[in-house]
Amino acid sequence: MRDRVRRSAVMLIVAAIVILIDQGTKTLALNTLRQDARIPLIGDWLGLQLAFNPGAIFSLGEGSTWVITVIGVAVTAVLIGAATRARNVWSAVGFGFIVGGAIGNLIDRLFSPPAFGIGHVTDFLAYGNLFIGNLADVALGIGAVFLIVAGLRTSRRRPDPASRPDPVDPVPAEETVHP
């Protein structure tokens, strides 16, 4: 029980840190960046440019922002429930990143313009001409990597029952042959 509480605490701490960093960087982006100008960081590969996304990834569903918000609330609730059952610290950290990223973008959906529940997510990390994202999106990816690593670590520790050698039956004492 104590380990479960500790893993839940790890998840909550990681999620809180992700939310604070995400919301802080979005506020900084709103105050310093423009939609019509890109600041290059790594040539044309990565830059800073303000954007507002009414949809999901790659602006999919931009005409259904309220549906994305409802789905986001439901998925976040399921993720929090799953995170409380994390089996190891790697999983707890992974769920923390994912929950923090999901809540970071959900805050935008709920409280950013144009209105409650249909707010546009603030994005500012421009990946070439592919898309513009934010640190909540990065946290989602990092969380997925942690969960994959946690799954691989767990599967290596548990040997396949079919690969275990058969137990050796000891020879009963009365059947022991002495020369």
Side-chain angles (χ1 to χ4, degrees), residues 96-156:
F97 273 103
I98 291 171
V99 167
I103 291 174
N105 282 338
L106 196 55
I107 288 170
D108 288 9
R109 297 248 178 250
L110 292 172
F111 301 110
S112 293
F116 181 81
I118 58 170
H120 297 179
V121 173
T122 301
D123 289 330
F124 58 90
L125 294 172
Y127 299 94
N129 291 323
L130 298 173
F131 65 95
I132 302 176
N134 57 49
L135 289 182
D137 303 332
V138 172
L140 293 169
I142 291 170
V145 169
F146 266 91
L147 289 180
I148 290 167
V149 169
L152 292 173
R153 290 173 51 94
T154 301
S155 68
R156 284 190 191 150

Side-chain angles (χ1 to χ4, degrees), residues 39-176:
I39 300 169
L41 296 177
I42 303 175
D44 291 336
W45 293 94
L46 180 67
L48 299 173
Q49 182 176 354
L50 188 61
F52 300 99
N53 185 357
I57 188 167
F58 300 117
S59 296
L60 295 173
E62 59 186 52
S64 304
T65 304
W66 69 272
V67 173
I68 294 169
T69 302
V70 170
I71 291 170
V73 169
V75 168
T76 301
V78 169
L79 284 168
I80 291 170
T84 62
R85 293 184 298 279
R87 294 178 184 238
N88 55 50
V89 174
W90 283 84
S91 294
V93 170
F95 277 118
F97 273 103
I98 291 171
V99 167
I103 291 174
N105 282 338
L106 196 55
I107 288 170
D108 288 9
R109 297 248 178 250
L110 292 172
F111 301 110
S112 293
F116 181 81
I118 58 170
H120 297 179
V121 173
T122 301
D123 289 330
F124 58 90
L125 294 172
Y127 299 94
N129 291 323
L130 298 173
F131 65 95
I132 302 176
N134 57 49
L135 289 182
D137 303 332
V138 172
L140 293 169
I142 291 170
V145 169
F146 266 91
L147 289 180
I148 290 167
V149 169
L152 292 173
R153 290 173 51 94
T154 301
S155 68
R156 284 190 191 150
R157 276 193 231 136
R158 292 188 201 152
D160 180 15
S163 68
R164 291 184 192 155
D166 291 334
V168 178
D169 290 346
V171 178
E174 63 269 7
E175 293 181 23
T176 307

